[in-house]
Amino acid sequence: MSTKRYIVGNWKMNHSLKELDAFWSQLKSTDFTKFESNAWIAPQGIHLSKCLEMAGSGIKLGAQNCHHKLSGAFTGEASPSALKDMGAEFVIIGHSERRAIFNESHEELNLKVKTALELGLKVIFCVGETLQERNEGRVFAVNQNQIHQGLKGIDPSKLGSLLVAYEPVWAIGTGVTASPEQAEEVHHFLRELLGKFLGRNSIPLLYGGSVKPANIKDLLSKPNIDGGLVGGASLKASDFLKLVEAAG
Ligand code: PEP
């Protein structure tokens, strides 16, 4: 189990420049180095440098996605090395929106994970079942398959840069949070699975799916929940700060 907790904001395709300004000006006097926990935010890629200029000390910034190649004829894509050059320290890979809306395959995600880790980026690899898969009793099988396919063949020396987020698709952006018990059940399973599959049971495990200041403490009280990957509630500076405070 990891000791430090994580609160990671995934801003998706949100925030205008004016809203960015408002967010960071509310937090400019907050020194995030004073918190035990890690505070990370993934803004839209095009806002990365602006956020780096405005963010106060102690917050790491990252990307929501990247291509698996470093450069080339891939119109409209974001190069992981360009993101790193800009100051991204981590990248989210395999978010359910990337899987479902952009049809990203297990193979593609596996290549992205390997490229990003090779470059020295930290990777948050997302897994999670749909409601239908849960209702069919396939929670463990689906999550196991996503881990096996997405994380196979990783250089063992890079595992210190890997985090895994369990994000049940039915809880993302719906306001329906998995109960701490439901989340812990899957996190416990993932902890053992990663121990067996990658030989490492200390990979930080984040829960994502309608995390809010009101439910973060209960989720973090569970032994295998090391943090939260947060969409909606991370967009408001006061809520983001409350989440980081709650994580200690
Ligand atoms: C997410 O986008 O990863 C997420 C968990 O969103 P929300 O917190 O809004 O459910």
Side-chain angles (χ1 to χ4, degrees):
M1 246 159 281
S2 66
T3 46
K4 272 199 162 197
R5 285 160 165 173
Y6 294 78
I7 296 297
V8 183
N10 171 17
W11 282 358
K12 312 193 188 194
M13 204 172 70
N14 292 304
H15 273 340
S16 63
L17 272 184
K18 199 165 156 205
E19 288 164 338
L20 278 189
D21 235 25
F23 183 95
W24 292 119
S25 47
Q26 278 182 65
L27 293 184
K28 70 172 172 255
S29 55
T30 308
D31 174 12
F32 281 85
T33 59
K34 74 179 180 207
F35 296 110
E36 230 346 89
S37 53
N38 295 288
W40 297 4
I41 287 181
Q44 298 187 61
I46 44 172
H47 286 159
L48 192 58
S49 58
K50 186 84 191 156
C51 289
L52 280 160
E53 277 166 30
M54 297 175 81
S57 46
I59 295 197
K60 285 194 198 319
L61 294 171
Q64 301 169 13
N65 177 38
C66 66
H67 198 265
H68 66 269
K69 288 269 174 73
L70 302 187
S71 63
F74 302 105
T75 302
E77 287 294 313
S79 150
S81 51
L83 288 165
K84 185 155 191 269
D85 286 349
M86 291 296 281
E89 296 193 56
F90 70 93
V91 59
I92 300 169
I93 293 179
H95 191 281
S96 65
E97 287 153 18
R98 299 297 317 171
R99 292 176 189 265
I101 306 170
F102 300 98
N103 297 315
E104 293 194 355
S105 65
H106 295 303
E107 292 68 29
E108 196 177 351
L109 296 175
N110 182 242
L111 290 174
K112 289 182 185 211
V113 170
K114 287 178 180 159
T115 304
L117 288 175
E118 270 319 304
L119 264 180
L121 286 164
K122 294 181 187 2
V123 167
I124 302 175
F125 182 68
C126 302
V127 296
E129 80 287 351
T130 62
L131 188 57
Q132 185 180 341
E133 289 162 342
R134 176 164 279 265
N135 290 340
E136 289 169 359
R138 298 201 288 130
V139 173
F140 298 127
V142 167
N143 284 283
Q144 175 168 299
N145 186 44
Q146 290 177 356
I147 292 284
H148 281 170
Q149 303 275 348
L151 299 182
K152 64 185 168 201
I154 292 177
D155 176 349
S157 73
K158 307 290 180 203
L159 289 176
S161 296
L162 178 68
L163 298 86
V164 168
Y166 168 56
E167 297 210 303
V169 180
W170 47 272
I172 297 178
T174 58
V176 181
T177 317
S179 69
E181 293 68 31
Q182 281 174 316
E184 172 62 16
E185 185 185 31
V186 181
H187 280 232
H188 179 259
F189 171 78
L190 290 172
R191 178 85 64 209
E192 301 214 317
L193 176 67
L194 291 164
K196 278 186 246 151
F197 185 56
L198 298 177
R200 195 172 175 110
N201 62 10
S202 59
I203 291 170
L205 297 177
L206 278 48
Y207 165 78
S210 300
V211 171
K212 307 174 198 75
N215 58 29
I216 186 73
K217 279 226 155 106
D218 286 346
L219 288 160
L220 291 178
S221 71
K222 295 296 179 191
N224 291 295
I225 302 183
D226 303 315
L229 178 54
V230 191
S234 71
L235 290 166
K236 228 172 114 189
S238 55
D239 282 351
F240 182 74
L241 186 55
K242 280 185 203 153
L243 291 165
V244 177
E245 283 167 348

mmCIF file with all atom_site columns, all heavy atoms in Angstrom, residues 19 23 31 37 40 45-46 56 64 82 85 100 112 121 125 147 162 167 197 214 221 228 240 243:
data_model
loop_
_atom_site.group_PDB
_atom_site.id
_atom_site.type_symbol
_atom_site.label_atom_id
_atom_site.label_alt_id
_atom_site.label_comp_id
_atom_site.label_asym_id
_atom_site.label_entity_id
_atom_site.label_seq_id
_atom_site.pdbx_PDB_ins_code
_atom_site.Cartn_x
_atom_site.Cartn_y
_atom_site.Cartn_z
_atom_site.occupancy
_atom_site.B_iso_or_equiv
_atom_site.pdbx_formal_charge
_atom_site.auth_seq_id
_atom_site.auth_comp_id
_atom_site.auth_asym_id
_atom_site.auth_atom_id
_atom_site.pdbx_PDB_model_num
ATOM 1   N N   . GLU A 1 19  ? -12.433 31.234 -16.717 1.00 0.00 ? 19  GLU A N   1
ATOM 2   C CA  . GLU A 1 19  ? -12.659 30.302 -15.602 1.00 0.00 ? 19  GLU A CA  1
ATOM 3   C C   . GLU A 1 19  ? -11.330 29.798 -15.015 1.00 0.00 ? 19  GLU A C   1
ATOM 4   O O   . GLU A 1 19  ? -11.213 29.582 -13.813 1.00 0.00 ? 19  GLU A O   1
ATOM 5   C CB  . GLU A 1 19  ? -13.530 29.137 -16.068 1.00 0.00 ? 19  GLU A CB  1
ATOM 6   C CG  . GLU A 1 19  ? -14.976 29.553 -16.292 1.00 0.00 ? 19  GLU A CG  1
ATOM 7   C CD  . GLU A 1 19  ? -15.793 28.551 -17.123 1.00 0.00 ? 19  GLU A CD  1
ATOM 8   O OE1 . GLU A 1 19  ? -15.205 27.756 -17.880 1.00 0.00 ? 19  GLU A OE1 1
ATOM 9   O OE2 . GLU A 1 19  ? -17.033 28.604 -17.019 1.00 0.00 ? 19  GLU A OE2 1
ATOM 10  N N   . PHE A 1 23  ? -10.171 30.121 -11.174 1.00 0.00 ? 23  PHE A N   1
ATOM 11  C CA  . PHE A 1 23  ? -9.756  28.947 -10.398 1.00 0.00 ? 23  PHE A CA  1
ATOM 12  C C   . PHE A 1 23  ? -8.418  29.198 -9.732  1.00 0.00 ? 23  PHE A C   1
ATOM 13  O O   . PHE A 1 23  ? -8.259  29.062 -8.524  1.00 0.00 ? 23  PHE A O   1
ATOM 14  C CB  . PHE A 1 23  ? -9.661  27.713 -11.319 1.00 0.00 ? 23  PHE A CB  1
ATOM 15  C CG  . PHE A 1 23  ? -9.315  26.442 -10.591 1.00 0.00 ? 23  PHE A CG  1
ATOM 16  C CD1 . PHE A 1 23  ? -10.313 25.577 -10.165 1.00 0.00 ? 23  PHE A CD1 1
ATOM 17  C CD2 . PHE A 1 23  ? -7.993  26.113 -10.306 1.00 0.00 ? 23  PHE A CD2 1
ATOM 18  C CE1 . PHE A 1 23  ? -9.995  24.395 -9.484  1.00 0.00 ? 23  PHE A CE1 1
ATOM 19  C CE2 . PHE A 1 23  ? -7.664  24.941 -9.623  1.00 0.00 ? 23  PHE A CE2 1
ATOM 20  C CZ  . PHE A 1 23  ? -8.677  24.082 -9.217  1.00 0.00 ? 23  PHE A CZ  1
ATOM 21  N N   . ASP A 1 31  ? -0.374  27.103 -0.396  1.00 0.00 ? 31  ASP A N   1
ATOM 22  C CA  . ASP A 1 31  ? 0.869   26.373 -0.652  1.00 0.00 ? 31  ASP A CA  1
ATOM 23  C C   . ASP A 1 31  ? 0.568   24.877 -0.512  1.00 0.00 ? 31  ASP A C   1
ATOM 24  O O   . ASP A 1 31  ? 0.403   24.367 0.602   1.00 0.00 ? 31  ASP A O   1
ATOM 25  C CB  . ASP A 1 31  ? 1.922   26.819 0.365   1.00 0.00 ? 31  ASP A CB  1
ATOM 26  C CG  . ASP A 1 31  ? 3.181   25.997 0.240   1.00 0.00 ? 31  ASP A CG  1
ATOM 27  O OD1 . ASP A 1 31  ? 3.319   25.257 -0.759  1.00 0.00 ? 31  ASP A OD1 1
ATOM 28  O OD2 . ASP A 1 31  ? 4.033   26.084 1.144   1.00 0.00 ? 31  ASP A OD2 1
ATOM 29  N N   . SER A 1 37  ? -0.767  14.969 1.152   1.00 0.00 ? 37  SER A N   1
ATOM 30  C CA  . SER A 1 37  ? -1.240  14.312 -0.071  1.00 0.00 ? 37  SER A CA  1
ATOM 31  C C   . SER A 1 37  ? -0.710  15.007 -1.330  1.00 0.00 ? 37  SER A C   1
ATOM 32  O O   . SER A 1 37  ? -0.254  16.152 -1.278  1.00 0.00 ? 37  SER A O   1
ATOM 33  C CB  . SER A 1 37  ? -2.763  14.322 -0.093  1.00 0.00 ? 37  SER A CB  1
ATOM 34  O OG  . SER A 1 37  ? -3.228  15.625 0.099   1.00 0.00 ? 37  SER A OG  1
ATOM 35  N N   . TRP A 1 40  ? -2.859  16.895 -7.899  1.00 0.00 ? 40  TRP A N   1
ATOM 36  C CA  . TRP A 1 40  ? -2.542  16.907 -9.328  1.00 0.00 ? 40  TRP A CA  1
ATOM 37  C C   . TRP A 1 40  ? -3.780  17.365 -10.115 1.00 0.00 ? 40  TRP A C   1
ATOM 38  O O   . TRP A 1 40  ? -4.912  17.080 -9.715  1.00 0.00 ? 40  TRP A O   1
ATOM 39  C CB  . TRP A 1 40  ? -2.185  15.501 -9.846  1.00 0.00 ? 40  TRP A CB  1
ATOM 40  C CG  . TRP A 1 40  ? -0.968  14.865 -9.268  1.00 0.00 ? 40  TRP A CG  1
ATOM 41  C CD1 . TRP A 1 40  ? -0.155  15.342 -8.281  1.00 0.00 ? 40  TRP A CD1 1
ATOM 42  C CD2 . TRP A 1 40  ? -0.413  13.596 -9.669  1.00 0.00 ? 40  TRP A CD2 1
ATOM 43  N NE1 . TRP A 1 40  ? 0.865   14.446 -8.040  1.00 0.00 ? 40  TRP A NE1 1
ATOM 44  C CE2 . TRP A 1 40  ? 0.734   13.366 -8.877  1.00 0.00 ? 40  TRP A CE2 1
ATOM 45  C CE3 . TRP A 1 40  ? -0.780  12.630 -10.609 1.00 0.00 ? 40  TRP A CE3 1
ATOM 46  C CZ2 . TRP A 1 40  ? 1.516   12.218 -9.008  1.00 0.00 ? 40  TRP A CZ2 1
ATOM 47  C CZ3 . TRP A 1 40  ? -0.001  11.488 -10.738 1.00 0.00 ? 40  TRP A CZ3 1
ATOM 48  C CH2 . TRP A 1 40  ? 1.143   11.292 -9.953  1.00 0.00 ? 40  TRP A CH2 1
ATOM 49  N N   . GLY A 1 45  ? -5.146  19.962 -22.748 1.00 0.00 ? 45  GLY A N   1
ATOM 50  C CA  . GLY A 1 45  ? -3.753  20.103 -23.185 1.00 0.00 ? 45  GLY A CA  1
ATOM 51  C C   . GLY A 1 45  ? -3.404  21.524 -23.610 1.00 0.00 ? 45  GLY A C   1
ATOM 52  O O   . GLY A 1 45  ? -2.320  22.030 -23.296 1.00 0.00 ? 45  GLY A O   1
ATOM 53  N N   . ILE A 1 46  ? -4.342  22.182 -24.302 1.00 0.00 ? 46  ILE A N   1
ATOM 54  C CA  . ILE A 1 46  ? -4.035  23.533 -24.794 1.00 0.00 ? 46  ILE A CA  1
ATOM 55  C C   . ILE A 1 46  ? -3.943  24.553 -23.659 1.00 0.00 ? 46  ILE A C   1
ATOM 56  O O   . ILE A 1 46  ? -3.447  25.652 -23.868 1.00 0.00 ? 46  ILE A O   1
ATOM 57  C CB  . ILE A 1 46  ? -5.062  24.037 -25.847 1.00 0.00 ? 46  ILE A CB  1
ATOM 58  C CG1 . ILE A 1 46  ? -6.476  23.713 -25.405 1.00 0.00 ? 46  ILE A CG1 1
ATOM 59  C CG2 . ILE A 1 46  ? -4.777  23.471 -27.221 1.00 0.00 ? 46  ILE A CG2 1
ATOM 60  C CD1 . ILE A 1 46  ? -7.531  24.349 -26.275 1.00 0.00 ? 46  ILE A CD1 1
ATOM 61  N N   . GLY A 1 56  ? 0.025   27.599 -8.202  1.00 0.00 ? 56  GLY A N   1
ATOM 62  C CA  . GLY A 1 56  ? 0.949   27.870 -7.105  1.00 0.00 ? 56  GLY A CA  1
ATOM 63  C C   . GLY A 1 56  ? 1.857   26.671 -6.863  1.00 0.00 ? 56  GLY A C   1
ATOM 64  O O   . GLY A 1 56  ? 1.845   25.699 -7.620  1.00 0.00 ? 56  GLY A O   1
ATOM 65  N N   . GLN A 1 64  ? -4.600  14.586 -20.152 1.00 0.00 ? 64  GLN A N   1
ATOM 66  C CA  . GLN A 1 64  ? -5.742  13.659 -20.067 1.00 0.00 ? 64  GLN A CA  1
ATOM 67  C C   . GLN A 1 64  ? -5.612  12.490 -21.040 1.00 0.00 ? 64  GLN A C   1
ATOM 68  O O   . GLN A 1 64  ? -6.385  11.546 -21.004 1.00 0.00 ? 64  GLN A O   1
ATOM 69  C CB  . GLN A 1 64  ? -7.032  14.411 -20.375 1.00 0.00 ? 64  GLN A CB  1
ATOM 70  C CG  . GLN A 1 64  ? -7.301  15.558 -19.444 1.00 0.00 ? 64  GLN A CG  1
ATOM 71  C CD  . GLN A 1 64  ? -8.430  16.447 -19.930 1.00 0.00 ? 64  GLN A CD  1
ATOM 72  O OE1 . GLN A 1 64  ? -9.181  16.087 -20.831 1.00 0.00 ? 64  GLN A OE1 1
ATOM 73  N NE2 . GLN A 1 64  ? -8.560  17.615 -19.323 1.00 0.00 ? 64  GLN A NE2 1
ATOM 74  N N   . ALA A 1 82  ? 5.969   16.095 -26.454 1.00 0.00 ? 82  ALA A N   1
ATOM 75  C CA  . ALA A 1 82  ? 5.646   17.528 -26.450 1.00 0.00 ? 82  ALA A CA  1
ATOM 76  C C   . ALA A 1 82  ? 4.961   17.906 -25.134 1.00 0.00 ? 82  ALA A C   1
ATOM 77  O O   . ALA A 1 82  ? 5.240   18.961 -24.552 1.00 0.00 ? 82  ALA A O   1
ATOM 78  C CB  . ALA A 1 82  ? 4.729   17.863 -27.628 1.00 0.00 ? 82  ALA A CB  1
ATOM 79  N N   . ASP A 1 85  ? 7.659   18.104 -22.574 1.00 0.00 ? 85  ASP A N   1
ATOM 80  C CA  . ASP A 1 85  ? 8.435   19.344 -22.757 1.00 0.00 ? 85  ASP A CA  1
ATOM 81  C C   . ASP A 1 85  ? 7.697   20.549 -22.196 1.00 0.00 ? 85  ASP A C   1
ATOM 82  O O   . ASP A 1 85  ? 8.308   21.481 -21.680 1.00 0.00 ? 85  ASP A O   1
ATOM 83  C CB  . ASP A 1 85  ? 8.672   19.614 -24.258 1.00 0.00 ? 85  ASP A CB  1
ATOM 84  C CG  . ASP A 1 85  ? 9.709   18.688 -24.855 1.00 0.00 ? 85  ASP A CG  1
ATOM 85  O OD1 . ASP A 1 85  ? 10.389  17.978 -24.086 1.00 0.00 ? 85  ASP A OD1 1
ATOM 86  O OD2 . ASP A 1 85  ? 9.823   18.672 -26.097 1.00 0.00 ? 85  ASP A OD2 1
ATOM 87  N N   . ALA A 1 100 ? -14.769 4.498  -24.661 1.00 0.00 ? 100 ALA A N   1
ATOM 88  C CA  . ALA A 1 100 ? -16.117 4.366  -25.240 1.00 0.00 ? 100 ALA A CA  1
ATOM 89  C C   . ALA A 1 100 ? -16.357 5.331  -26.393 1.00 0.00 ? 100 ALA A C   1
ATOM 90  O O   . ALA A 1 100 ? -16.886 4.935  -27.433 1.00 0.00 ? 100 ALA A O   1
ATOM 91  C CB  . ALA A 1 100 ? -17.160 4.583  -24.151 1.00 0.00 ? 100 ALA A CB  1
ATOM 92  N N   . LYS A 1 112 ? 0.332   3.194  -25.419 1.00 0.00 ? 112 LYS A N   1
ATOM 93  C CA  . LYS A 1 112 ? 0.404   4.524  -24.798 1.00 0.00 ? 112 LYS A CA  1
ATOM 94  C C   . LYS A 1 112 ? 1.057   4.447  -23.424 1.00 0.00 ? 112 LYS A C   1
ATOM 95  O O   . LYS A 1 112 ? 1.894   5.273  -23.069 1.00 0.00 ? 112 LYS A O   1
ATOM 96  C CB  . LYS A 1 112 ? -1.003  5.127  -24.641 1.00 0.00 ? 112 LYS A CB  1
ATOM 97  C CG  . LYS A 1 112 ? -1.651  5.537  -25.933 1.00 0.00 ? 112 LYS A CG  1
ATOM 98  C CD  . LYS A 1 112 ? -3.003  6.166  -25.662 1.00 0.00 ? 112 LYS A CD  1
ATOM 99  C CE  . LYS A 1 112 ? -3.713  6.469  -26.960 1.00 0.00 ? 112 LYS A CE  1
ATOM 100 N NZ  . LYS A 1 112 ? -4.579  7.633  -26.882 1.00 0.00 ? 112 LYS A NZ  1
ATOM 101 N N   . LEU A 1 121 ? 7.062   9.954  -17.888 1.00 0.00 ? 121 LEU A N   1
ATOM 102 C CA  . LEU A 1 121 ? 5.807   10.509 -17.364 1.00 0.00 ? 121 LEU A CA  1
ATOM 103 C C   . LEU A 1 121 ? 5.216   9.515  -16.371 1.00 0.00 ? 121 LEU A C   1
ATOM 104 O O   . LEU A 1 121 ? 5.389   8.301  -16.522 1.00 0.00 ? 121 LEU A O   1
ATOM 105 C CB  . LEU A 1 121 ? 4.803   10.704 -18.506 1.00 0.00 ? 121 LEU A CB  1
ATOM 106 C CG  . LEU A 1 121 ? 5.071   11.880 -19.451 1.00 0.00 ? 121 LEU A CG  1
ATOM 107 C CD1 . LEU A 1 121 ? 4.243   11.723 -20.731 1.00 0.00 ? 121 LEU A CD1 1
ATOM 108 C CD2 . LEU A 1 121 ? 4.733   13.200 -18.764 1.00 0.00 ? 121 LEU A CD2 1
ATOM 109 N N   . PHE A 1 125 ? -3.534  4.799  -15.073 1.00 0.00 ? 125 PHE A N   1
ATOM 110 C CA  . PHE A 1 125 ? -4.235  3.899  -15.995 1.00 0.00 ? 125 PHE A CA  1
ATOM 111 C C   . PHE A 1 125 ? -5.617  3.598  -15.409 1.00 0.00 ? 125 PHE A C   1
ATOM 112 O O   . PHE A 1 125 ? -5.734  3.126  -14.280 1.00 0.00 ? 125 PHE A O   1
ATOM 113 C CB  . PHE A 1 125 ? -3.427  2.615  -16.176 1.00 0.00 ? 125 PHE A CB  1
ATOM 114 C CG  . PHE A 1 125 ? -4.065  1.664  -17.152 1.00 0.00 ? 125 PHE A CG  1
ATOM 115 C CD1 . PHE A 1 125 ? -4.135  1.969  -18.499 1.00 0.00 ? 125 PHE A CD1 1
ATOM 116 C CD2 . PHE A 1 125 ? -4.602  0.460  -16.714 1.00 0.00 ? 125 PHE A CD2 1
ATOM 117 C CE1 . PHE A 1 125 ? -4.732  1.097  -19.409 1.00 0.00 ? 125 PHE A CE1 1
ATOM 118 C CE2 . PHE A 1 125 ? -5.200  -0.418 -17.612 1.00 0.00 ? 125 PHE A CE2 1
ATOM 119 C CZ  . PHE A 1 125 ? -5.265  -0.093 -18.959 1.00 0.00 ? 125 PHE A CZ  1
ATOM 120 N N   . ILE A 1 147 ? -6.786  -4.720 -17.002 1.00 0.00 ? 147 ILE A N   1
ATOM 121 C CA  . ILE A 1 147 ? -5.430  -4.674 -16.419 1.00 0.00 ? 147 ILE A CA  1
ATOM 122 C C   . ILE A 1 147 ? -4.483  -5.571 -17.242 1.00 0.00 ? 147 ILE A C   1
ATOM 123 O O   . ILE A 1 147 ? -3.392  -5.143 -17.630 1.00 0.00 ? 147 ILE A O   1
ATOM 124 C CB  . ILE A 1 147 ? -5.451  -5.152 -14.943 1.00 0.00 ? 147 ILE A CB  1
ATOM 125 C CG1 . ILE A 1 147 ? -6.206  -4.161 -14.058 1.00 0.00 ? 147 ILE A CG1 1
ATOM 126 C CG2 . ILE A 1 147 ? -4.033  -5.417 -14.420 1.00 0.00 ? 147 ILE A CG2 1
ATOM 127 C CD1 . ILE A 1 147 ? -5.480  -2.892 -13.710 1.00 0.00 ? 147 ILE A CD1 1
ATOM 128 N N   . LEU A 1 162 ? 3.686   4.185  -12.057 1.00 0.00 ? 162 LEU A N   1
ATOM 129 C CA  . LEU A 1 162 ? 2.345   3.763  -12.461 1.00 0.00 ? 162 LEU A CA  1
ATOM 130 C C   . LEU A 1 162 ? 1.332   3.902  -11.310 1.00 0.00 ? 162 LEU A C   1
ATOM 131 O O   . LEU A 1 162 ? 1.631   3.529  -10.167 1.00 0.00 ? 162 LEU A O   1
ATOM 132 C CB  . LEU A 1 162 ? 2.391   2.298  -12.917 1.00 0.00 ? 162 LEU A CB  1
ATOM 133 C CG  . LEU A 1 162 ? 1.067   1.673  -13.342 1.00 0.00 ? 162 LEU A CG  1
ATOM 134 C CD1 . LEU A 1 162 ? 0.550   2.315  -14.642 1.00 0.00 ? 162 LEU A CD1 1
ATOM 135 C CD2 . LEU A 1 162 ? 1.233   0.160  -13.567 1.00 0.00 ? 162 LEU A CD2 1
ATOM 136 N N   . GLU A 1 167 ? -12.516 3.270  -11.969 1.00 0.00 ? 167 GLU A N   1
ATOM 137 C CA  . GLU A 1 167 ? -13.595 4.204  -12.253 1.00 0.00 ? 167 GLU A CA  1
ATOM 138 C C   . GLU A 1 167 ? -14.781 3.440  -12.834 1.00 0.00 ? 167 GLU A C   1
ATOM 139 O O   . GLU A 1 167 ? -14.860 3.252  -14.066 1.00 0.00 ? 167 GLU A O   1
ATOM 140 C CB  . GLU A 1 167 ? -13.135 5.256  -13.250 1.00 0.00 ? 167 GLU A CB  1
ATOM 141 C CG  . GLU A 1 167 ? -12.015 6.139  -12.747 1.00 0.00 ? 167 GLU A CG  1
ATOM 142 C CD  . GLU A 1 167 ? -12.090 7.530  -13.367 1.00 0.00 ? 167 GLU A CD  1
ATOM 143 O OE1 . GLU A 1 167 ? -12.066 7.626  -14.599 1.00 0.00 ? 167 GLU A OE1 1
ATOM 144 O OE2 . GLU A 1 167 ? -12.211 8.494  -12.622 1.00 0.00 ? 167 GLU A OE2 1
ATOM 145 N N   . PHE A 1 197 ? 0.221   -9.997 -11.032 1.00 0.00 ? 197 PHE A N   1
ATOM 146 C CA  . PHE A 1 197 ? 0.478   -9.765 -12.463 1.00 0.00 ? 197 PHE A CA  1
ATOM 147 C C   . PHE A 1 197 ? 1.753   -8.955 -12.708 1.00 0.00 ? 197 PHE A C   1
ATOM 148 O O   . PHE A 1 197 ? 2.507   -9.228 -13.635 1.00 0.00 ? 197 PHE A O   1
ATOM 149 C CB  . PHE A 1 197 ? -0.732  -9.040 -13.070 1.00 0.00 ? 197 PHE A CB  1
ATOM 150 C CG  . PHE A 1 197 ? -0.667  -8.850 -14.551 1.00 0.00 ? 197 PHE A CG  1
ATOM 151 C CD1 . PHE A 1 197 ? -0.505  -9.942 -15.404 1.00 0.00 ? 197 PHE A CD1 1
ATOM 152 C CD2 . PHE A 1 197 ? -0.769  -7.580 -15.112 1.00 0.00 ? 197 PHE A CD2 1
ATOM 153 C CE1 . PHE A 1 197 ? -0.438  -9.767 -16.779 1.00 0.00 ? 197 PHE A CE1 1
ATOM 154 C CE2 . PHE A 1 197 ? -0.712  -7.395 -16.490 1.00 0.00 ? 197 PHE A CE2 1
ATOM 155 C CZ  . PHE A 1 197 ? -0.542  -8.495 -17.318 1.00 0.00 ? 197 PHE A CZ  1
ATOM 156 N N   . ALA A 1 214 ? -18.119 15.760 0.117   1.00 0.00 ? 214 ALA A N   1
ATOM 157 C CA  . ALA A 1 214 ? -18.987 15.085 1.089   1.00 0.00 ? 214 ALA A CA  1
ATOM 158 C C   . ALA A 1 214 ? -18.721 13.583 1.208   1.00 0.00 ? 214 ALA A C   1
ATOM 159 O O   . ALA A 1 214 ? -19.089 12.968 2.209   1.00 0.00 ? 214 ALA A O   1
ATOM 160 C CB  . ALA A 1 214 ? -20.449 15.305 0.693   1.00 0.00 ? 214 ALA A CB  1
ATOM 161 N N   . SER A 1 221 ? -11.259 6.198  3.876   1.00 0.00 ? 221 SER A N   1
ATOM 162 C CA  . SER A 1 221 ? -11.111 5.431  5.125   1.00 0.00 ? 221 SER A CA  1
ATOM 163 C C   . SER A 1 221 ? -10.845 3.953  4.819   1.00 0.00 ? 221 SER A C   1
ATOM 164 O O   . SER A 1 221 ? -10.486 3.189  5.701   1.00 0.00 ? 221 SER A O   1
ATOM 165 C CB  . SER A 1 221 ? -12.363 5.582  5.998   1.00 0.00 ? 221 SER A CB  1
ATOM 166 O OG  . SER A 1 221 ? -13.427 4.860  5.389   1.00 0.00 ? 221 SER A OG  1
ATOM 167 N N   . GLY A 1 228 ? -8.334  9.872  -4.997  1.00 0.00 ? 228 GLY A N   1
ATOM 168 C CA  . GLY A 1 228 ? -9.482  10.030 -5.884  1.00 0.00 ? 228 GLY A CA  1
ATOM 169 C C   . GLY A 1 228 ? -9.074  10.648 -7.211  1.00 0.00 ? 228 GLY A C   1
ATOM 170 O O   . GLY A 1 228 ? -8.203  11.526 -7.256  1.00 0.00 ? 228 GLY A O   1
ATOM 171 N N   . PHE A 1 240 ? -11.985 21.584 -4.821  1.00 0.00 ? 240 PHE A N   1
ATOM 172 C CA  . PHE A 1 240 ? -10.697 20.894 -5.010  1.00 0.00 ? 240 PHE A CA  1
ATOM 173 C C   . PHE A 1 240 ? -9.869  20.995 -3.733  1.00 0.00 ? 240 PHE A C   1
ATOM 174 O O   . PHE A 1 240 ? -9.310  20.006 -3.258  1.00 0.00 ? 240 PHE A O   1
ATOM 175 C CB  . PHE A 1 240 ? -9.956  21.494 -6.216  1.00 0.00 ? 240 PHE A CB  1
ATOM 176 C CG  . PHE A 1 240 ? -8.648  20.803 -6.493  1.00 0.00 ? 240 PHE A CG  1
ATOM 177 C CD1 . PHE A 1 240 ? -8.620  19.535 -7.059  1.00 0.00 ? 240 PHE A CD1 1
ATOM 178 C CD2 . PHE A 1 240 ? -7.433  21.410 -6.163  1.00 0.00 ? 240 PHE A CD2 1
ATOM 179 C CE1 . PHE A 1 240 ? -7.412  18.873 -7.300  1.00 0.00 ? 240 PHE A CE1 1
ATOM 180 C CE2 . PHE A 1 240 ? -6.226  20.755 -6.396  1.00 0.00 ? 240 PHE A CE2 1
ATOM 181 C CZ  . PHE A 1 240 ? -6.216  19.493 -6.966  1.00 0.00 ? 240 PHE A CZ  1
ATOM 182 N N   . LEU A 1 243 ? -11.105 18.713 -1.055  1.00 0.00 ? 243 LEU A N   1
ATOM 183 C CA  . LEU A 1 243 ? -10.711 17.309 -1.316  1.00 0.00 ? 243 LEU A CA  1
ATOM 184 C C   . LEU A 1 243 ? -9.265  17.076 -0.884  1.00 0.00 ? 243 LEU A C   1
ATOM 185 O O   . LEU A 1 243 ? -8.953  16.067 -0.239  1.00 0.00 ? 243 LEU A O   1
ATOM 186 C CB  . LEU A 1 243 ? -10.892 16.978 -2.806  1.00 0.00 ? 243 LEU A CB  1
ATOM 187 C CG  . LEU A 1 243 ? -12.334 16.917 -3.305  1.00 0.00 ? 243 LEU A CG  1
ATOM 188 C CD1 . LEU A 1 243 ? -12.389 16.958 -4.832  1.00 0.00 ? 243 LEU A CD1 1
ATOM 189 C CD2 . LEU A 1 243 ? -13.033 15.660 -2.790  1.00 0.00 ? 243 LEU A CD2 1
#
